[in-house]
Amino acid sequence: MKEQTTTTIVPSRAYRLLQPKLIREVVLEHTVPDGYVVVEPTLASICHADLRYYTGQRRPEALARKLPMSLLHEGIGKVVVSRDAGCKEGQNVVIVPNMPGYMLDGTKREDCCPACRGAAGDNYCYRGRFLGSGIDGIAQRRIVVPAGCAIPVPEEVPDEIAVLTELCSVSYQAITRVKERWGNMSAAVFGDGPVGYLTAAMLHHAAGLGQDRLLAFGAIEEKLEQFQFARRELVQQFDFGAAEPVDVAVECTGGRFSESAVNQAIDLLKPGGVLILMGVTEERVPINTRDILEKGITVIGSSRSMSRDFQAVMELMRRPTCQETLRRLLPERTKPVRKVEDYIEAMEEAAAHRDWKKTVLQFHW
């Protein structure tokens, strides 16, 4: 480690994706300005977005623009170097991958951009950077982030629960877009994968919706059975024309199922209802604009999250009931990663099986 007057330099072993299916270990050098911390990742989970890069399912122009790059954006670690008085070395933290421009520059939010100054929020910052999407992510021994993007993990929250914070925070951010309705709204979640499950979990634990006001749709009965805090319906057997309408619908399917989920949600919504889109697809999706107009439906797109969402989720995770809900997504064991071959094996396995439960990596640097 080389000390300079205003900057520390740290080397980092990184598992970098050079092109789809080709990962190599390289050594990067990171500068550590004042106000930043260096984190050694300990646990990380693999996201479908990581797998789209790894398997080459992103558009060719996106791959050409973003690679080479270390993947992963869902993780926790230990602070090993701190250049910020408010963050202590040795602290266990969740890494916030979405870094707004004002944190990167060490300036004020109001001096950043229209999104940061306005209602859109940090997650839509014009000058923001996102780990594992354009810049190197968590699959490296040392990662450097602004101190505001290293959120302390409470002692009551086990590491294996904390590693789910990023994905929970994205769901939490989405449902806060209708926070003024939480008190008496009914909601439906479309999608029985991890995003759908965690969105329903946040509606239950944060917004207080129980089975009387929360409906979950899925296509696979075994997955849907995990949503024990919600009423559950197989989408292929449900009569949307005769159903009781809901105030809010959240689409969490993505991919080729987005079209049917979005249009079923439009059918199910009340006049004046809200449709929140969270599912990611590379293709354009045809939707029923006539009923959007006739019902006066508001459509909201929600992507990513920000530090304050992580902090809110950390508070929810203190609750034993919330931890019990989240444990349903955890695998029976983590996958140890001691060398790049272990990492490649984990990516291959995750890409081949696409299990309902998350793939969690335990790094041994």
Side-chain angles (χ1 to χ4, degrees):
M1 188 181 300
K2 180 182 177 184
E3 285 287 335
Q4 294 186 348
T5 304
T6 60
T7 316
T8 300
I9 307 294
V10 294
S12 177
R13 286 170 49 209
Y15 302 146
R16 252 189 167 187
L17 182 68
L18 306 183
Q19 62 186 52
K21 295 276 191 169
L22 180 60
I23 293 175
R24 292 284 186 269
E25 182 177 322
V26 301
V27 176
L28 306 175
E29 280 198 342
H30 301 306
T31 59
V32 191
D34 290 337
Y36 279 63
V37 296
V38 182
V39 179
E40 180 177 292
T42 52
L43 289 179
S45 61
I46 297 174
C47 174
H48 283 171
D50 300 315
L51 296 177
R52 283 194 292 271
Y53 281 115
Y54 180 71
T55 58
Q57 293 179 9
R58 291 296 309 272
R59 294 177 180 175
E61 58 270 26
L63 293 171
R65 185 173 69 253
K66 297 193 175 189
L67 300 184
M69 176 178 68
S70 296
L71 299 176
L72 307 185
H73 59 272
E74 303 172 5
I76 67 172
K78 297 286 186 184
V79 175
V80 293
V81 176
S82 176
R83 294 182 63 88
D84 182 88
C87 196
K88 298 179 180 178
E89 293 179 4
Q91 203 163 36
N92 195 29
V93 297
V94 173
I95 301 163
V96 180
N98 194 32
M99 302 180 291
Y102 69 87
M103 283 192 187
L104 294 170
D105 299 341
T107 56
K108 297 179 180 179
R109 179 185 277 110
E110 54 267 28
D111 296 331
C112 188
C113 72
C116 290
R117 290 194 298 270
D122 298 3
N123 47 327
Y124 299 105
C125 178
Y126 291 24
R127 301 187 299 111
R129 310 292 294 277
F130 194 90
L131 300 175
S133 180
I135 60 172
D136 289 297
I138 292 173
Q140 55 178 312
R141 184 168 183 258
R142 297 285 188 266
I143 190 157
V144 179
V145 296
C149 290
I151 307 300
V153 178
E155 289 186 5
E156 308 96 302
V157 181
D159 287 356
E160 66 271 18
I161 297 295
V163 78
L164 298 175
T165 307
E166 195 277 338
L167 195 50
C168 288
S169 73
V170 174
S171 295
Y172 181 84
Q173 161 64 208
I175 69 169
T176 59
R177 304 292 293 275
V178 291
K179 193 169 185 177
E180 73 284 354
R181 297 179 179 234
W182 282 7
N184 56 11
M185 76 179 188
S186 56
V189 174
F190 288 78
D192 53 20
V195 176
Y197 182 78
L198 291 178
T199 300
M202 291 298 101
L203 283 166
H204 177 58
H205 290 286
L209 273 64
Q211 290 186 341
D212 59 328
R213 293 195 287 142
L214 180 57
L215 178 59
F217 288 102
I220 300 175
E221 189 170 4
E222 292 77 12
K223 293 181 178 181
L224 202 55
E225 286 175 355
Q226 303 298 325
F227 293 65
Q228 294 185 357
F229 45 83
R231 287 185 294 126
R232 303 174 292 278
E233 294 286 352
L234 287 169
V235 70
Q236 60 268 37
Q237 298 177 3
F238 191 76
D239 184 357
F240 286 92
E244 182 74 20
V246 299
D247 299 294
V248 175
V250 192
E251 182 275 313
C252 303
T253 54
R256 61 193 178 94
F257 297 112
S258 285
E259 178 181 348
S260 57
V262 167
N263 288 298
Q264 287 161 346
I266 292 169
D267 290 342
L268 191 62
L269 281 166
K270 293 178 181 178
V274 177
L275 171 59
I276 301 175
L277 303 179
M278 293 184 65
V280 177
T281 176
E282 294 293 313
E283 306 300 328
R284 295 186 177 184
V285 177
I287 62 174
N288 178 7
T289 56
R290 174 175 292 278
D291 279 357
I292 289 177
L293 299 176
E294 288 187 356
K295 290 185 176 183
I297 291 171
T298 299
V299 180
I300 297 174
S302 188
S303 176
R304 301 179 175 174
S305 56
M306 47 188 152
S307 292
R308 70 187 184 202
D309 300 313
F310 279 68
Q311 292 164 348
V313 167
M314 286 275 90
E315 288 303 308
L316 292 173
M317 285 180 169
R318 290 177 185 264
R319 304 176 187 173
T321 52
C322 185
Q323 292 181 23
E324 181 182 353
T325 298
L326 299 182
R327 283 191 187 280
R328 291 182 174 274
L329 265 184
L330 293 173
E332 292 182 7
R333 60 183 62 87
T334 59
K335 295 187 178 299
V337 176
R338 295 181 171 85
K339 54 187 185 297
V340 67
E341 290 81 6
D342 297 334
Y343 177 61
I344 294 170
E345 181 181 326
M347 294 297 293
E348 282 288 335
E349 185 174 328
H353 299 294
R354 300 291 180 99
D355 290 341
W356 186 77
K357 292 187 175 183
K358 297 288 288 181
T359 298
V360 179
L361 311 178
Q362 184 171 30
F363 290 110
H364 299 273
W365 299 107

